[in-house]
Amino acid sequence: VQKVTVKDVCFNYESGEESIAYGIGPINFEVNEGELVFIIGGNGSGKTTFLKLLVGLYKPDSDAILINDKNISNKALSECFSVIYSDFYLFKKLYDVKEERLNQVYDWLKVLQLSEKVTIENGVFSTIELSKGQRKRLAILKSYLEDRPIYFFDEVAADLDPAFRDFFYNELLVKMREEGKILIIISHDDKYFGL
C-alpha cells in the first residue's frame, strides 16, 4: 500500500428518533507510505468512528476510501490494517504471522520485558493472564508480527508506563516508519507530536 485516500466521507449513526442524529464528515484525508499521522481531538469528536470507517468496519454513507487510488471492498480494506483499539481484546493464538517476523519474537519479548512471563509455542501465547499494561505490550507485539502495510493504534500508549511509552513512540513507531509502514495514531500524548 503506497497511499490511503479518504474523499468526502460521511457517516451518520442511525437513531430511533429522527430529531437526534450525529455523525462525522465530510472528511478528506491522505496518508502515504512511510508516514506517521496523529489524530487528535476531544472525547466524542469522532476519532474512533473515523478509525472504524478507515479499516472497513463501518461503511461510509457517502463517497469512498481508496487504497492506491482504487476503490476496494470493506473486506479487502480491512486486510490492509493491523489495529489495536483502546478497548482491545487479546487472543492467545497468533493468526497471520509471517515466519520471518516470528523469528524475531523472543528478541521483542525481551525488549518489552515479557520474556519471563510469556512464551510462544505452536503460534500460541503461553498466557495472557497479565496486567493491563503487559497485555497492551503483548498486543503491540502481536500487531507488529502481523506485518501489515497500515497500522492504526487507538490510544495504545495510554496504559503503558513512561519507559514503554517512550519505547513505543521513539523506537517502535520510528522503526516501523523506516520499514515503509503507514502509521495512524489516535493519541493525546502531545509530548510526542514532534514525531
Side-chain angles (χ1 to χ4, degrees):
V1 174
Q2 297 166 326
K3 179 170 65 170
V4 178
T5 307
V6 175
K7 286 187 173 181
D8 294 321
V9 165
C10 293
F11 178 80
N12 288 295
Y13 286 95
E14 296 293 325
S15 172
E17 299 178 33
E18 291 180 27
S19 62
I20 301 173
Y22 60 98
I24 61 172
I27 296 174
N28 290 289
F29 173 79
E30 185 174 287
V31 61
N32 296 292
E33 185 176 22
E35 288 185 344
L36 169 60
V37 175
F38 287 100
I39 296 181
I40 60 173
N43 292 338
S45 63
K47 300 180 303 292
T48 301
T49 298
F50 175 65
L51 178 154
K52 290 177 180 179
L53 279 165
L54 197 56
V55 301
L57 289 176
Y58 290 174
K59 188 173 182 338
D61 293 336
S62 63
D63 285 303
I65 298 168
L66 309 172
I67 299 287
N68 299 335
D69 296 322
K70 293 182 179 136
N71 201 341
I72 63 173
S73 72
N74 277 16
K75 182 180 180 339
L77 184 63
S78 69
E79 291 176 2
C80 295
F81 286 88
S82 181
V83 180
I84 302 177
Y85 298 97
S86 59
D87 58 348
F88 73 102
Y89 184 84
L90 184 63
F91 293 95
K92 281 186 83 168
K93 181 156 178 47
L94 293 166
Y95 295 95
D96 298 327
V97 175
K98 296 179 180 169
E99 193 66 35
E100 59 271 13
R101 289 274 197 193
L102 201 52
N103 292 335
Q104 303 171 23
V105 76
Y106 287 103
D107 293 336
W108 282 103
L109 285 171
K110 284 180 192 167
V111 167
L112 296 170
Q113 295 181 6
L114 294 170
S115 59
E116 293 184 17
K117 297 189 179 284
V118 179
T119 59
I120 299 173
E121 291 184 31
N122 299 319
V124 177
F125 293 123
S126 59
T127 186
I128 56 173
E129 299 297 320
L130 303 164
S131 72
K132 189 170 185 180
Q134 290 168 332
R135 282 195 333 271
K136 185 70 69 91
R137 294 191 314 241
L138 200 56
I140 291 168
L141 172 62
K142 185 215 170 285
S143 181
Y144 175 77
L145 292 173
E146 289 177 352
D147 195 22
R148 301 288 174 91
I150 309 166
Y151 289 80
F152 210 142
F153 299 126
D154 186 357
E155 294 289 347
V156 165
D159 299 316
L160 300 178
D161 63 33
F164 288 110
R165 188 173 296 160
D166 279 343
F167 168 77
F168 173 73
Y169 284 108
N170 292 318
E171 294 182 44
L172 184 59
L173 292 182
V174 170
K175 175 182 175 38
M176 293 170 77
R177 181 173 56 191
E178 289 169 355
E179 291 176 356
K181 305 301 183 186
I182 294 173
L183 302 158
I184 304 167
I185 315 298
I186 293 176
S187 177
H188 294 291
D189 288 329
D190 56 357
K191 173 182 176 184
Y192 301 100
F193 288 175
L195 291 170

